[in-house]
DNA sequence: GTGAAAGCGCTAACAC
DNA sequence: GTGTTAGCGCTTTCAC
């Protein structure tokens, strides 16, 4: 139980060499004879020595730490992304300090300060936006920030999203082609760019076809609130015949509600379309038609951009919009003339 | 972009005081006059100074970092737990360094070394076991380890699980009371204590009633593998009339497979019981009967134990088994004389 | 209560 | 190559 720290000095003594020799052996870019290395490694193993990264970081100024602020692990999209992000960064020699925020929270300030206190070399904000004063602070500290799944008009910020406006528009086109007449929308939290962009694209698409939005309600990206929104939308004699829900997490909630509590058939009575393409969306019980956010590529771009900026101060922040295809399954009526979509019906279920 | 670090020396200069005075103002337990504090805080704010935690940690030996190794975020149980764990630790002044492992991975060694390199003050292993040599190393480093959802016979390790043996036995009793005659089991990864204990309890329960296990297959806690296991189990003329699946993640996969690909009705044709009680289990589409692992309490116990051991070296590691109730829903036939269970049917769906 | 000085464990100049 | 020396930014004695 006694916390007896073994330092490079101890190893040096045992190996009969200088302390700096030990350091060199354990420093990637340093030069040491193989004889030296052998001696030192032997002594180190014997004592169970490993370099203290905190001390190293203090000197080099490189903590090899990436701060990640994430809200909303309840939405399957984020655990998936977090797992990929963390693994990807690990592979590149970085490690992840994770802080949880609340979804509609403004006091991200504190969390961000904490990250900076730990001298993180970069920050990923997943499903969280930031004030421009925060952006300024990170910029001043020389710590690059990448927004993951949020877009924001600030030159100091990088951001990776799918093309949410285009995605929203595609949904409108699809529903209109499917001959729906009373098209409703359930919105996410309006503080999120994803919500605003998806809705904007959706309205744009309806507009181009001269189709009005039949009804709108708000689910704030919350499971229960989405069901409450559905409850209100369907409490009228003339019910919507299609609902675009701002993300899959809410769309699945709405499906559960409409099928189980309202006894509505999907898509016969009402079409539902979501956004994200989380794993659950492809389960046969749901077969949710949705827009796929390419989380793999989003993570790759995030990591690449972050590391590029860490490695070279002159790398400019960028915004990346990734294409996001419509995945046609069976929760929304499919237009007769719609191109064959069997190839996109990728169920994880075993084929017999 | 220039990373100009602001140090306590800069603040000291601006405030016209000594560097150590600045330190004292920012050190919780230190003594400084309020006049001093005011001057220093003003200068610090002006410069945007914040103490470098790495430097502080180097001296105090307290990094305020907790390492968490987690595999398997795909299983909803873990994101839920991770979120609670992280929030709970944040509230107590600790922060979480998260490393991802593979579920059936043996090279946890490397990950653990990395954590120790960062001078974490404690470690939580979620869904991962550890070799006794690793336990020894953590013990030697004075870093307490708590296994979350894994049990292991090592005096140096703390562990928190539900009472998996008892839980497995309850399932057996329930299925037998429900008059099932061909009871099968789909196992998780056998390297996991949860798998072994649940099966042991289950077999024990069957045994007490003189009921043989009709069939057994292995899903390794994997979604697809579980469906493949179900495929094999139901490829015989005499199909099982009940299946206990080692966790909800697999149980839901099995339900999807049996209903959608086999056209079996649940529970009319076959009863399914899972383990964990993840959020999804309560969705009306599934209504999965399962054993609830009290993740809230598991997290609380984990955090309390970890911090107790960090604060006081003499605190002995402990094993904690939490009671895990059977949650009766509708995926398994309910015995006629079974006590009323309406109260445990807690669906998140809005009531009208 | 405050400043001067020492040193946490390490890396990086600098001489030899 | 290798040892010596000087810090990284901070906390913590120790005098005053």
């Amino acid at each position: 139980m006694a916390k007896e720290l073994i330092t490079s000095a101890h190893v040096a003594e045992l190996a009969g060499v200088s302390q700096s020799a030990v350091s060199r052996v354990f420093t990637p870019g340093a030069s040491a004879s193989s004889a030296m290395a052998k001696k030192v490694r032997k002594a180190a193993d014997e004592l169970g020595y490993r370099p203290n990264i905190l001390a190293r970081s203090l000197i080099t100024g490189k903590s090899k730490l990436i701060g990640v602020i994430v809200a909303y692990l309840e939405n399957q999209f984020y655990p998936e992304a977090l797992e990929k992000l963390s693994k990807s960064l690990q592979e590149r020699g970085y490690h992840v300090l994770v802080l949880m925020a609340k979804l509609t929270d403004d006091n991200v300030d504190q969390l961000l300060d904490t990250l900076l206190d730990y001298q993180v070399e970069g920050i990923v904000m997943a499903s969280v936006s930031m004030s421009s004063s925060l952006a300024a602070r990170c910029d001043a500290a020389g710590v690059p920030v990448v927004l993951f799944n949020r877009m924001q008009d600030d030159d100091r910020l990088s951001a990776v999203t799918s093309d949410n406006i285009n995605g929203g528009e595609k949904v409108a086109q699809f529903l209109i082609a499917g001959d729906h007449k009373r098209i409703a929308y359930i919105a996410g939290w309006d503080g999120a760019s994803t919500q605003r962009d998806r809705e904007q694209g959706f309205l744009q698409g309806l507009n181009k076809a001269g189709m009005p939005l039949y009804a709108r309600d708000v689910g704030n990206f919350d499971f229960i609130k989405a069901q409450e929104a559905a409850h209100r939308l369907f409490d009228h004699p003339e019910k919507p015949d299609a609902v675009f829900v701002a993300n899959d997490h809410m769309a699945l909630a709405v499906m559960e509600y409409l099928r189980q509590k309202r006894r509505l058939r999907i898509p016969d009575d009402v079409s539902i379309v979501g956004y994200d393409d989380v794993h659950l969306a492809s389960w046969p019980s749901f077969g949710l038609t949705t827009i796929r956010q390419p989380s793999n590529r989003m993570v790759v771009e995030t990591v690449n951009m972050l590391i590029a900026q860490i490695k070279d101060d002159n790398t400019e922040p960028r915004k990346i919009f990734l294409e996001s295809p419509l995945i046609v399954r069976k929760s929304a009526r499919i237009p007769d003339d719609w191109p064959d979509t069997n190839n996109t019906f990728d169920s994880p279920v075993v084929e017999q």
Side-chain angles (χ1 to χ4, degrees), chain A residues 181-334:
Chain A
K181 298 304 181 196
R182 295 185 304 282
I183 303 177
Y185 178 67
I186 294 183
W189 178 55
D190 214 57
S193 66
T194 42
Q195 145 55 26
R196 295 190 305 268
D197 290 350
R198 287 167 198 178
E199 180 164 17
Q200 183 194 324
F202 186 61
L203 294 179
Q204 200 168 291
L206 292 182
N207 207 35
K208 281 184 185 163
M211 171 72 72
L213 181 67
Y214 181 69
R216 178 190 196 271
D217 210 307
V218 179
N220 267 343
F221 291 138
D222 180 84
F223 194 89
I224 301 287
K225 290 212 171 69
Q227 296 190 322
E228 291 167 352
H231 177 70
R232 288 187 296 267
L233 284 179
F234 285 79
D235 221 20
H236 295 295
E238 279 287 88
K239 304 186 194 325
D241 60 4
V243 185
F244 173 34
V245 190
N247 73 2
D248 284 0
H249 182 64
M250 292 196 299
L252 294 165
V254 169
M255 283 183 77
E256 282 295 281
Y257 172 76
L258 295 179
R259 288 203 296 210
Q260 307 287 341
K261 298 289 173 181
R262 290 286 185 159
R263 296 286 148 207
L264 293 177
R265 289 161 307 157
I266 296 171
D268 310 73
D269 299 323
V270 56
S271 289
I272 303 290
V273 178
Y275 205 110
D276 276 348
D277 196 26
V278 297
H279 197 219
L280 260 174
S282 71
W283 288 22
S285 287
F286 303 105
L288 180 63
T289 292
T290 189
I291 300 283
R292 172 173 297 163
Q293 298 215 93
S295 63
N296 279 314
R297 286 197 53 206
M298 286 174 69
V299 167
V300 169
E301 299 290 351
T302 299
V303 170
N304 285 344
M305 213 150 56
L306 200 59
I307 293 183
Q309 290 183 64
I310 289 172
K311 292 255 163 82
D312 179 6
D313 277 359
N314 299 320
T315 310
E316 289 297 317
R318 290 194 304 137
K319 318 288 192 207
I320 295 181
F321 299 83
L322 296 174
E323 214 194 326
S324 37
L326 176 71
I327 306 298
V328 177
R329 296 203 180 89
K330 56 190 174 61
S331 68
R333 194 192 312 149
I334 302 175

Side-chain angles (χ1 to χ4, degrees), chain A residues 22-35:
Chain A
V22 177
S23 169
R24 276 191 278 261
V25 171
F26 282 95
T27 304
S31 55
S33 70
S34 59

Side-chain angles (χ1 to χ4, degrees), chain A residues 5-25:
Chain A
L5 211 46
I6 294 133
T7 73
S8 54
H10 297 143
V11 178
E13 194 182 20
L14 181 60
V17 300
S18 78
Q19 180 269 328
S20 40
V22 177
S23 169
R24 276 191 278 261
V25 171

